[in-house]
Amino acid sequence: MTASLKSRISKFQDDLPYVERPYSSRAWGHGLHSLCSYQGKLKPSIAHWLIREFVPKKGSVLDPLGGIGTVAFEGAQQGRHAVSNDKSPLAAIVARAKLDPPPINVALEALSRLGKRMNGVTLEASDRQAADFGLNATVRDYFHPETLDEILKARKVLALFPPVESGEYFVWACLLHVLHGNRPYALSRTSHSITPFSPTGPFEYRGVIDRTERKIRLALSDPLPENFVSSKALEGDFRALPGRLTSRFDTIITSPPFLGMRFDRPNWLRLWFCGWEQESFLSQSKSFLEREQISSWECYAEFFEVCHELLFTSGMMVLHLGSSRSDPMLERLRDMAASQFSLVGEVAEAVGGNERHGLRDKGRTTAHHLLFFRSKGPRRAGLKCLEPGYSVKSGTGRGRSSKRALIEA
């Protein structure tokens, strides 16, 4: 088995299938990959090929640092049972919407409820003061005053009525996408769809419900594959996963944050909408892995323990990492994984010439690496093996399979 895996990894390095057309196209993949722009998202074609080559058919895959669910969504499209987890409320909302998408009538009913709730909201001084926050400009600098009032009301509704079913998650994910951008779909003045650069251009009223409805209809116009498996997205620290999941996985595929990356900064306006205040960016963000790894690598000792616990005995872990000439992360994680995992192979790709997607600062990463590990050693009793018929506690959605993956305890 290991020899076969080594040869498959070697072939993956030789072929790098995700850099060939049509997979190299910036627009490749199902439309739901673009449900909401997000800085730091894994390229969908990389996730596609990793699932295709290294997750057993009808098997299971976990991304414990899942972002907006790219790995899990590609797994669900290929008939795998998938779970994504992320500590960011923004990422978790979008991942949940992608992994359990509703029929369009369910989403539009949820949007109608949002509109009625917004009409019942009275803005207080504290709500308006919240718009004085900003990193490169204040929130109120981005929007026409009437649009800003609607955004503040919607933000208050999200705080008072957190989403509980698939239609509501989908509505919030669509609203988060249209919050800022450089095209007519956006609620903001001219900015950027991924990172909210300081806005320019005239103030123009744009209705929250109208723009969100357009996004909903567009996002749900792309049919899902027949074998799509509605899957699970969780919000929380990766360390809590063994207590929340009762089944182990065939494969873990994940991308730890590259050194120098901070997900709160480029995603600040959407995190603000999700309820973050100034203090959240100063203190709460320190508990996120990209901040923890700056002060100590010990967080990865816990990370590897959790991954080891959540894999089958013969399970596999794939890490997607960035590196530069002065970056110690690659060697550190290789060494730290050794007590629970055997390194089977590695794939490397130089990325210095890749396109910038309109971003001004691409960071210091010069190469991407895929590290392939095989799990080793005994595990604690408690987690079950996967069996057909297990169900996930989630809402109703399209393309639901009767062989749902994992139970959240």
Side-chain angles (χ1 to χ4, degrees):
M1 183 82 173
T2 301
S4 173
L5 177 59
K6 285 183 177 179
S7 65
R8 284 156 53 206
I9 295 170
S10 178
K11 187 175 188 306
F12 200 86
Q13 172 72 84
D14 292 340
D15 296 343
L16 289 179
Y18 57 86
V19 304
E20 300 297 329
R21 287 202 168 273
Y23 302 98
S24 60
S25 170
R26 179 178 174 182
W28 181 87
H30 191 280
L32 286 183
H33 277 304
S34 301
L35 182 60
C36 182
S37 303
Y38 187 75
Q39 175 74 355
K41 181 179 76 173
L42 179 67
K43 189 176 180 182
S45 59
I46 296 178
H48 171 87
W49 278 99
L50 290 175
I51 297 287
R52 183 167 165 173
E53 295 294 327
F54 300 106
V55 181
K57 290 184 178 180
K58 297 184 179 180
S60 56
V61 60
L62 166 69
D63 188 345
L65 309 172
I68 58 172
T70 301
V71 167
F73 182 64
E74 274 301 314
Q77 286 191 90
Q78 296 183 49
R80 273 66 164 184
H81 302 295
V83 173
S84 183
N85 175 77
D86 202 273
K87 196 168 186 176
S88 162
L90 160 63
I93 286 174
V94 178
R96 174 71 178 266
K98 289 165 60 174
L99 293 174
D100 190 25
I104 191 166
N105 65 302
V106 172
L108 293 178
E109 288 169 4
L111 180 64
S112 177
R113 288 196 301 274
L114 170 59
K116 291 175 182 178
R117 285 169 173 169
M118 287 169 59
N119 289 336
V121 165
T122 299
L123 293 177
E124 300 173 358
S126 59
D127 300 315
R128 298 189 186 280
Q129 288 169 3
D132 294 330
F133 171 75
L135 296 187
N136 49 343
T138 68
V139 172
R140 69 176 68 257
D141 291 328
Y142 284 81
F143 307 103
H144 185 279
E146 292 179 35
T147 302
L148 178 60
D149 274 4
E150 292 184 11
I151 288 170
L152 292 174
K153 288 180 179 181
R155 182 176 186 259
K156 194 165 185 176
V157 171
L158 179 57
L160 293 171
F161 302 97
V164 295
E165 52 88 23
S166 63
E168 293 172 349
Y169 276 99
F170 205 85
V171 166
W172 290 119
C174 289
L175 200 166
L176 285 163
H177 176 72
V178 302
L179 194 60
H180 61 79
N182 54 5
R183 296 180 182 178
Y185 71 77
L187 294 167
S188 71
R189 299 163 63 205
T190 301
S191 179
H192 192 278
S193 60
I194 298 177
T195 299
F197 298 145
S198 296
T200 59
F203 287 89
E204 175 187 326
Y205 169 71
R206 297 176 181 183
V208 166
I209 298 299
D210 173 64
R211 289 297 201 279
T212 304
E213 181 177 347
R214 293 184 197 180
K215 175 61 179 177
I216 289 170
R217 292 186 181 278
L218 177 64
L220 291 176
S221 65
D222 193 358
L224 291 164
E226 286 296 322
N227 64 339
F228 182 85
V229 178
S230 291
S231 296
K232 189 72 177 177
L234 303 175
E235 178 184 346
D237 195 289
F238 70 84
R239 298 169 182 87
L241 286 174
R244 301 183 69 183
L245 299 170
T246 62
S247 297
R248 292 194 171 100
F249 295 79
D250 294 300
T251 311
I252 288 174
I253 300 174
T254 196
S255 184
F258 294 4
L259 282 183
M261 180 64 188
R262 282 192 60 172
F263 291 98
D264 59 335
R265 299 294 174 167
N267 296 307
W268 75 263
L269 186 50
R270 291 177 174 129
L271 280 169
W272 168 87
F273 185 86
C274 290
W276 275 35
E277 306 284 356
Q278 182 172 352
E279 183 59 29
S280 306
F281 291 90
L282 296 175
S283 59
Q284 190 171 338
S285 66
K286 292 180 180 178
S287 67
F288 283 64
L289 189 58
E290 65 265 24
R291 301 289 303 280
E292 286 190 278
Q293 68 187 17
I294 295 172
S295 58
S296 172
W297 293 104
E298 285 307 306
C299 53
Y300 283 105
E302 297 173 291
F303 174 77
F304 289 125
E305 287 177 8
V306 167
C307 290
H308 181 258
E309 176 64 20
L310 291 172
L311 281 171
F312 289 129
T313 302
S314 60
M316 182 178 180
M317 178 175 68
V318 184
L319 297 187
H320 173 260
L321 300 169
S323 69
S324 65
R325 291 182 180 85
S326 60
D327 189 345
M329 188 171 188
L330 192 66
E331 292 298 330
R332 290 272 187 162
L333 296 196
R334 279 198 198 104
D335 293 342
M336 294 186 75
S339 60
Q340 290 110 350
F341 295 91
S342 300
L343 181 63
V344 182
E346 180 177 342
V347 168
E349 176 200 3
V351 295
N354 287 8
E355 63 178 312
R356 295 178 180 269
H357 304 289
L359 297 179
R360 300 167 189 169
D361 181 8
K362 193 175 178 182
R364 61 190 185 187
T365 300
T366 57
H368 287 183
H369 298 260
L370 294 167
L371 302 183
F372 295 80
F373 295 93
R374 181 71 81 188
S375 182
K376 64 183 181 182
R379 284 155 187 74
R380 295 178 299 161
L383 294 178
K384 303 175 183 177
C385 293
L386 285 172
E387 296 175 1
Y390 279 4
S391 61
V392 180
K393 295 179 181 177
S394 63
T396 59
R398 306 190 292 171
R400 171 155 290 109
S401 167
S402 61
K403 296 182 179 180
R404 299 284 295 280
L406 295 153
I407 306 172
E408 186 184 358

